[in-house]
């Protein structure tokens, strides 16, 4: 019973990170790279950048073929970024903040929470999958042996 539950739980969550939106920020003109969980660039993602305390978009546009979008800030502070990635099954939205120093250098930006634990969850998923397959095979052999007796 528990084995079936674990197997169903594993199979239902196998694509949990398949549609995540990840990003990275570099200095200079603030460059934002939009990518998938497996580091494939997302082109034509709609990006809007809002200045600190601003309600109207300071910059807007689409990512290039390499998933990059750049803008030139005119002040330091916490800039807000909205990303919308269209797909055939609906839009994927992501919002995050980029903090710039007074000389327009990137001080910090919101990290994707799962980014820190993605490797751990991947290894854990593989281990649970191997354990599940082994347990399923062992149970199959046991039941087959019981039927013969």
């Amino acid at each position: 019973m528990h084995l079936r539950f674990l197997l169903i739980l594993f199979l239902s969550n196998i694509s949990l990170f398949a549609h995540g939106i990840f990003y990275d920020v570099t200095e200079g003109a603030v460059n934002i790279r939009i990518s998938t969980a497996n580091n494939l660039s997302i082109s034509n993602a709609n990006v809007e950048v809002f200045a600190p305390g601003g309600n109207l978009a300071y910059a807007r546009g689409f990512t290039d073929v390499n998933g990059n979008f750049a803008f030139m800030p005119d002040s330091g502070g916490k800039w807000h970024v909205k990303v919308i990635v269209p797909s055939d099954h609906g839009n994927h939205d992501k919002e995050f903040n980029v903090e710039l120093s007074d000389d327009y250098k990137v001080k910090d930006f919101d990290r994707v929470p799962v980014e820190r634990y993605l490797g751990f969850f991947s290894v854990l998923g593989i281990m649970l999958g191997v354990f599940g397959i082994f347990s399923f095979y062992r149970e199959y052999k046991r039941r087959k042996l019981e039927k013969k007796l």
Side-chain angles (χ1 to χ4, degrees):
M1 180 68 176
H2 296 292
L3 178 62
R4 287 184 187 162
F5 175 74
L6 287 176
L7 185 61
I8 289 171
L9 182 65
F10 173 74
L11 290 176
S12 67
N13 289 311
I14 202 161
S15 65
L16 182 63
F17 301 110
H19 293 93
I21 299 173
F22 293 82
Y23 49 85
D24 196 8
V25 178
T26 58
E27 292 187 36
V30 178
N31 183 54
I32 300 167
R33 182 173 182 272
I34 308 298
S35 63
T36 62
N38 54 355
N39 205 24
L40 294 175
S41 300
I42 299 177
S43 60
N44 294 321
N46 186 7
V47 180
E48 290 184 334
V49 179
F50 297 87
N55 292 330
L56 297 175
Y58 174 82
R60 69 169 41 130
F62 297 92
T63 56
D64 66 9
V65 92
N66 296 317
N68 293 312
F69 178 83
F71 70 98
M72 295 295 292
D74 64 354
S75 67
K78 194 173 277 192
W79 292 69
H80 187 73
V81 180
K82 290 183 182 181
V83 179
I84 300 173
V85 179
S87 71
D88 56 351
H89 56 273
N91 291 339
H92 297 277
D93 301 346
K94 181 66 74 176
E95 294 189 28
F96 59 97
N97 294 312
V98 178
E99 188 172 349
L100 302 178
S101 62
D102 290 333
D103 59 352
Y104 313 136
K105 302 249 186 222
V106 176
K107 284 173 65 174
D108 195 17
F109 63 95
D110 298 342
R111 307 259 183 222
V112 178
V114 77
E115 185 178 292
R116 295 183 208 136
Y117 308 109
L118 191 58
F120 171 75
F121 286 128
S122 297
V123 170
L124 181 64
I126 290 170
M127 288 173 37
L128 287 174
V130 168
F131 174 74
I133 290 170
F134 175 74
S135 297
F136 178 77
Y137 181 73
R138 191 177 64 181
E139 182 68 17
Y140 172 77
K141 284 289 215 178
R142 187 183 67 81
R143 288 186 182 194
K144 190 174 179 182
L145 184 64
E146 285 178 358
K147 283 184 180 180
K148 287 184 178 181
L149 297 177

